[in-house]
Amino acid sequence: MRVILGYLAVLMTFQAGPDPETVAQARRIAASAELAAQEYRIGVVDGQVVAPAEVDEARLFLGEAKRSAATLPTSVRDAAIVELDRALALVAATAVPDSVAAAVARLSGTLRDGLGIVLVELPSRPPSLALGAEIYARECASCHGDAGRGDGPAGRGLDPPPADLGAHLALADVTPLAFYQRITIGVAGTAMPAYETRLAPADRWAVALYATMLRQAAPGGAVPDSLQLFATTAGMNDEQLREALGAAASREQVAAVRAWQDTGSAAVTAVFTTVRERVAETLKLARAGSGEPALATAFDAYLEFEAVE
């Protein structure tokens, strides 16, 4: 703990980095663009639009990201808008999904490197499914329904209707990270609101993981050590999990990975892994002159350490 507190004291002397609102704005822009790339990949196959609604949603996400990019610092604003314009042009031309994803990756790199920030902070430990169920019942079931079928009483008459979160095939590519991004920034063109200021990050991750479980089979089978770290699985879709488990893996085994909760000594190990990662990131940010983000990351490391002290 003294080491981490020492970092905090030293980092106070570094040049200030982006203000918290700029960091939050950059993360929203990156999340919107990443969701656009995901929706576009669903909507366009072999050069043909197979799901027009998904392509429209991709266009809306990119348009919202461009609108927000106009408020960024001049050091990254123009480059970010250039990449978003490229992505929008590619969508308009029904380009291959990989080209849209590449433009979005360049945008993320511009924001990350230009501002010296971390765009996505993935929890190393699995979020609490019990907490996720509680938040879902309070915040989501009225529209999405108790079982996530899109049949909640408040969702009747909405256009477009609430998503069916139990659609296994349709949502197989949607990761917990993608749900977290949707919950955080909302979904443009729908009644889905942004929960960035209404729910703490831990709560958003919990309900994102719970929403991911609504399409899964009943969990069954062992979970390999390599797939017990949520930072590893949060960005993996169901097919990627199945491949990681082995070609013969069943839906029940995939569900077991999603449902795995850290209840033993592995939880302590994960904490120290996260602390080390955040201290390393702190040093990287500090050396780049990003004082405020470095200070925030160091404090996050301290808070993680407090969980097991």
Side-chain angles (χ1 to χ4, degrees):
M1 183 171 69
R2 290 192 189 94
V3 173
I4 293 174
L5 290 175
Y7 279 123
L8 291 173
V10 171
L11 288 169
M12 293 296 291
T13 64
F14 281 91
Q15 177 182 350
D19 63 88
E21 179 51 37
T22 296
V23 175
Q25 186 77 318
R27 288 173 174 168
R28 285 192 291 269
I29 292 165
S32 293
E34 289 168 6
L35 288 172
Q38 293 169 19
E39 297 296 337
Y40 185 76
R41 191 175 295 279
I42 296 171
V44 174
V45 177
D46 295 331
Q48 300 295 319
V49 175
V50 297
E54 307 299 337
V55 176
D56 289 342
E57 194 168 354
R59 194 178 293 111
L60 282 170
F61 275 125
L62 289 171
E64 178 61 22
K66 181 179 176 181
R67 184 191 66 77
S68 298
T71 67
L72 289 171
T74 55
S75 59
V76 296
R77 180 186 61 208
D78 292 345
I81 290 175
V82 164
E83 293 300 344
L84 286 164
D85 279 337
R86 285 175 179 165
L88 283 163
L90 290 166
V91 170
T94 318
V96 296
D98 283 349
S99 64
V100 176
V104 169
R106 290 192 297 270
L107 167 69
S108 294
T110 294
L111 296 174
R112 181 189 63 245
D113 299 337
L115 295 174
I117 62 174
V118 177
L119 289 175
V120 180
E121 293 183 324
L122 297 173
S124 57
R125 288 169 288 165
S128 167
L129 281 172
L131 176 61
E134 176 186 326
I135 296 169
Y136 180 88
R138 184 180 74 237
E139 301 286 348
C140 313
S142 60
C143 286
H144 288 284
D146 292 341
R149 304 300 180 187
D151 56 358
R156 294 168 189 157
L158 291 179
D159 184 21
D164 178 358
L165 302 177
H168 169 66
L169 293 178
L171 297 180
D173 284 335
V174 181
T175 65
L177 172 59
F179 271 135
Y180 176 82
Q181 291 170 326
R182 282 170 167 81
I183 292 163
T184 298
I185 66 175
V187 179
T190 76
M192 175 71 182
Y195 283 89
E196 184 175 25
T197 60
R198 295 171 59 180
L199 293 175
D203 292 347
R204 280 178 267 145
W205 276 115
V207 75
L209 181 58
Y210 181 79
T212 308
M213 289 302 304
L214 291 173
R215 68 173 186 264
Q216 304 296 336
V223 178
D225 291 347
S226 61
L227 296 178
Q228 292 179 6
L229 198 64
F230 187 70
T232 299
T233 62
M236 297 174 70
N237 62 33
D238 292 352
E239 178 59 22
Q240 289 167 332
L241 280 185
R242 189 188 66 79
E243 291 176 357
L245 287 164
S250 65
R251 283 189 60 196
E252 289 74 15
Q253 289 173 289
V254 170
V257 174
R258 294 290 190 214
W260 191 82
Q261 297 283 276
D262 208 343
T263 58
S265 60
V268 176
T269 301
V271 167
F272 282 104
T273 298
T274 300
V275 169
R276 293 188 188 98
E277 290 170 351
R278 293 192 175 177
V279 169
E281 183 63 26
T282 295
L283 292 173
K284 179 181 176 182
L285 291 168
R287 287 165 181 158
S290 301
E292 284 296 324
L295 183 61
T297 304
F299 192 66
D300 285 344
Y302 173 69
L303 292 179
E304 284 286 340
F305 179 77
E306 280 290 304
V308 296
E309 184 187 21

